[in-house]
Amino acid sequence: MSYAIVDDLRMYYEEHGTGTGRPVVLIHGALSAIGTSFGTLLPLLAKTRRVVAVELQAHGRTVDADRPLSYERFAADVVGLLDHLGVAVADVLGWSMGAGVALRLGTDHADRVGRLVLASGSFDESGLHPGLLDGIQELRPEHLHGSEFHEEYLRTAPDPAGWANLVGKVKRLDADPPRWSADQIRALAAPTMVVLADSDIVVPEHAVEMFRLLGGGVAGDLVGLPRCRLAVLPGTTHTTLPQRAGWLAPMVDEFLDG
């Protein structure tokens, strides 16, 4: 358990595993942290590779900074952590909000990314179920009291009273979802694996669209496999996707080793 000073942020991270290849950076979802996002997946990945798990601004053990939350700053903070660790290039796996941060790393910091795994992510708000974010601004911190995310925050945050501030900042972040153009997705240099739950907050058609923009959807027996992959986990929801570690770990390992 360690901290890195990244600009104005004291950023918490953990390192696991002793693999000698490219490390993989795990980036959690909104209101979540390492435990609730990757508690079951991380130990399996760490059996064969070096894993760096981060906690972003205001999440978990990382204290907030005097700036709003943004995907651009999240990505820049992860790059700062890689600099701190002396890592030139890393693979990146992000879930939910973390998938947006991973995608921002892939488009804005392409030279620092080897391979990408985007779990439950969209490249614009059209990928979400219609009306999903309606009423998000009415969410109050106490509505989440007793949730696994709130319980994790109480266990890990330096100031447990900061929960209300985190919820408020995430609401402002959700008010302006990140967007990438189709051309930006097509131009993504990193080989990318798109992962979705079959009952996710992202509609399956959007994941297929992203897969096709990345070069997927071809007759592989005739033209060869594309550099991208698509995995849809059956009987799975947005919040239970990270718990499907028994399915995810071998697929992710095989893809990253490619």
Side-chain angles (χ1 to χ4, degrees):
M1 299 192 298
S2 305
Y3 287 88
I5 303 303
V6 179
D7 293 331
D8 57 345
L9 195 67
R10 187 169 181 261
M11 188 176 190
Y12 177 83
Y13 69 96
E14 296 180 5
E15 291 194 81
H16 299 264
T18 58
T20 57
R22 270 198 315 258
V24 57
V25 177
L26 304 185
I27 307 179
H28 59 78
L31 303 174
S32 181
I34 294 170
T36 52
S37 286
F38 302 117
T40 56
L41 180 61
L42 190 160
L44 298 182
L45 295 179
K47 288 181 178 180
T48 58
R49 64 188 70 250
R50 179 186 176 190
V51 178
V52 179
V54 306
E55 291 186 342
L56 300 171
Q57 177 190 341
H59 288 77
R61 301 163 184 85
T62 298
V63 177
D64 196 11
D66 186 19
R67 49 175 157 105
L69 304 183
S70 78
Y71 287 86
E72 292 77 11
R73 287 303 299 264
F74 283 151
D77 290 339
V78 173
V79 170
L81 175 62
L82 294 179
D83 290 341
H84 172 82
L85 296 174
V87 174
V89 178
D91 297 325
V92 184
L93 185 159
W95 168 64
S96 193
M97 180 185 77
V101 180
L103 183 53
R104 185 60 67 194
L105 283 162
T107 56
D108 294 10
H109 307 274
D111 60 324
R112 308 303 298 271
V113 175
R115 289 176 173 249
L116 285 174
V117 180
L118 307 178
S120 298
S122 63
F123 61 87
D124 62 32
E125 61 269 32
S126 71
L128 303 177
H129 283 279
L132 186 75
L133 294 179
D134 292 353
I136 189 68
Q137 297 310 314
E138 306 305 317
L139 177 69
R140 297 185 179 277
E142 58 269 23
H143 293 162
L144 295 168
H145 285 185
S147 68
E148 62 174 351
F149 303 125
H150 182 238
E151 294 297 326
E152 180 184 38
Y153 190 87
L154 293 179
R155 290 194 308 271
T156 61
D159 178 14
W163 175 252
N165 172 67
L166 172 60
V167 172
K169 284 197 166 186
V170 167
K171 286 166 56 177
R172 290 190 286 277
L173 181 70
D174 285 344
D176 186 22
R179 301 169 184 86
W180 291 264
S181 68
D183 286 342
Q184 286 178 299
I185 302 301
R186 288 191 192 95
L188 196 62
T192 301
M193 179 176 180
V194 177
V195 182
L196 194 74
D198 63 354
S199 297
D200 215 312
I201 63 173
V202 178
V203 297
E205 294 83 357
H206 185 80
V208 172
E209 180 184 1
M210 182 183 293
F211 179 57
R212 290 187 180 279
L213 289 172
L214 291 166
V218 300
D221 287 327
L222 300 178
V223 301
L225 285 171
R227 299 190 312 150
C228 56
R229 298 194 184 179
L230 174 65
V232 181
L233 306 187
T236 303
T237 69
H238 183 69
T239 55
T240 60
L241 185 148
Q243 300 167 19
R244 300 294 198 186
W247 291 347
L248 282 170
M251 289 191 294
V252 170
D253 271 331
E254 197 268 341
F255 173 65
L256 295 184
D257 286 343

